[in-house]
Amino acid sequence: MDDQSQVYTLDDALTFMGFGKFQGLALVCSGLAWFGDSMEIMILSFVGTAVGSQWRLSSSEESIITTVVFAGMLVGAYSWGLISDNYGRRKSMLGGAMVISVTGLLSALSPNYTSLVILRGVTGTGLGCGQVFFSWFLEFVPPSNRGMWMTIFATFGTLGSVSEAALAWIVMPRLNWRWLLALSTVPSCILLILTSFMPESPRYLLTKGRITDAHNILENIALFNRASLPSGSLISDRTTKLGEEFATSEETPLLTSTTNKTTELKSGCSSFLMLFSPRLFRTTILLWILYFGNAFIYYGIVLLTSSLSSTQSKCNSSTLLSENVRDANLYLDLFITGLAELPGLLLAAIIVDRVGRKPSMIIMNALLCIFLLPLFTHQSNILTTALLAGARMCCTGNYTITNIFSPEIYPTSMRSTGAGITYGMGRIGAMICPLVAVGLVTSCHKTAAIILLEAVIFVSVVSILLIPFETKGKELTDTIDGVSTSKQVSVVG
């Protein structure tokens, strides 16, 4: 065994090896999950009205088809997060991919409305596992350029939305909604196969005291990358003093952690309750507000795009996206609008590791506010479309940075639970926004809708400023403990 006086952490090993072939493969695998999830969400823009027309459903019955998916995502985000933190990332990812694949295909065979609603709700619970894939990939990326690679990861989501619009453009006029549902599950089916060959997160294994298993996985990654591990012995984490909790140095970990033990979660409730511990209570509430606001703003902009960029001179509820689905131009509109997100992701990738997570989110929100301000007055159709495209670009970049920031804050022992629940809070914002925005738009109160979005942006910025952590360049931590403990470390060499 190597000299135990020379030790290294997981982040030391990842930095030493660099971003190699294994991380590239992990990016494709986890990105495919994000890709498939975005397709399943975008499909809601097409299926509801098509099913309603075929089965003669009321507008409220059509809306339920969408609502149950978001409700399922809320439940799934919490459930898969608990499974991930207690039983492993890999088991959770396999379970989520299997649920989406099976229920997605069965949805295409639904004999009636009730079975379709139930199956789409269960599919939504599978989609809630997307945040676990995000956390899993995050735990393999070196700290120095983690923000850039996580932004590239988020690009898969935009590509999924664009691909679904293109697929609907091809399938719906020629076939029907059943074929669209079935073909949209292809990424999840491929993902199920790929995930079967991917390893468990070594960071998760460290929190469970399985240091030898974590070391073996790192050795395999180094071999696959044709690199080597640092000399010495792997330790679970560094010892950090309690007073360093809010330190701004990039060399200090994010939260106080211990080195002689890992926090074993005895039940699902324990990791949830840890979100409200004195150390994390304020941050958890602020992240919930931030995620709620991000989702509310994003779907609000999508709704405004379908209304304010309309070529009709009068305010009419028929300009809403859900009423326009029969028009072939809808597919092209959604395709182009989705492409507008790519510049936002590029900007996020450029600034997130340079200026930090919190400053980047504030910059994105400021630009978003600027793009929306001219819409208080009447603008030409071309300028309106350009302003809304810019707003969606900034909103997507901001959402992406938030998705990076949240799992970085929480320690490994509760990362999937914490990030999953915050992501679920965003689903609540997504469910509420259409109810509020539709009422404003159909009443021709578009200015009021923009004022509401600006107000939500302001609240989001305040939440960002009040969060006490900045995660730029910092090591991910494995556990949280309120008191200092022995400096003895567990090692493997």
Side-chain angles (χ1 to χ4, degrees), residues 170-372:
I170 296 171
V171 172
M172 291 296 284
R174 297 167 178 81
L175 299 172
N176 55 43
W177 59 269
R178 295 183 184 275
W179 279 96
L180 184 62
L181 283 174
L183 292 174
S184 297
T185 63
V186 171
S188 297
C189 294
I190 298 175
L191 176 66
L192 183 60
I193 298 173
L194 291 179
T195 305
S196 302
F197 297 97
M198 301 307 289
E200 180 58 85
S201 165
R203 193 176 296 277
Y204 163 80
L205 294 174
L206 288 175
T207 66
K208 300 301 179 182
R210 298 166 58 183
I211 299 181
T212 300
D213 292 338
H215 182 263
N216 291 337
I217 291 177
L218 288 177
E219 283 188 328
N220 291 332
I221 293 175
L223 182 64
F224 192 82
N225 287 350
R226 295 183 179 180
S228 60
L229 294 174
S231 59
S233 303
L234 175 67
I235 63 172
S236 60
D237 205 349
R238 299 188 189 278
T239 300
T240 306
K241 295 180 179 179
L242 184 62
E244 295 174 342
E245 177 183 353
F246 300 127
T248 57
S249 170
E250 295 185 3
E251 284 74 27
T252 58
L254 302 177
L255 290 170
T256 303
S257 56
T258 63
T259 56
N260 68 322
K261 64 177 182 177
T262 58
T263 303
E264 295 289 340
L265 301 180
K266 301 301 182 181
S267 66
C269 293
S270 60
S271 57
F272 176 78
L273 293 176
M274 287 172 65
L275 297 174
F276 304 98
S277 66
R279 302 286 305 285
L280 291 174
F281 177 79
R282 183 172 76 170
T283 299
T284 293
I285 298 301
L286 291 172
L287 283 175
W288 286 8
I289 296 173
L290 182 58
Y291 264 81
F292 181 95
N294 284 348
F296 190 98
I297 295 166
Y298 179 83
Y299 286 98
I301 291 173
V302 171
L303 179 62
L304 287 176
T305 301
S306 65
S307 176
L308 297 183
S309 63
S310 173
T311 57
Q312 297 185 17
S313 58
K314 294 183 179 180
C315 174
N316 193 306
S317 61
S318 63
T319 63
L320 291 176
L321 184 63
S322 60
E323 296 295 327
N324 227 0
V325 73
R326 296 180 184 86
D327 190 341
N329 289 332
L330 171 63
Y331 308 124
L332 179 61
D333 291 342
L334 290 176
F335 182 84
I336 295 175
T337 303
L339 288 178
E341 297 181 1
L342 294 176
L345 293 171
L346 177 61
L347 177 59
I350 292 173
I351 67 175
V352 67
D353 282 325
R354 287 177 170 83
V355 303
R357 286 25 168 180
K358 291 174 61 175
S360 295
M361 289 187 287
I362 292 174
I363 291 172
M364 287 294 188
N365 276 290
L367 292 174
L368 172 59
C369 183
I370 292 172
F371 276 115
L372 289 178

Side-chain angles (χ1 to χ4, degrees), residues 137-175:
F137 177 65
L138 175 76
E139 293 172 352
F140 286 106
V141 181
S144 59
N145 54 3
R146 193 165 56 220
M148 181 192 70
W149 283 111
M150 297 311 296
T151 304
I152 293 174
F153 171 93
T155 305
F156 282 85
T158 297
L159 295 177
S161 298
V162 173
S163 298
E164 183 64 29
L167 181 63
W169 197 356
I170 296 171
V171 172
M172 291 296 284
R174 297 167 178 81
L175 299 172

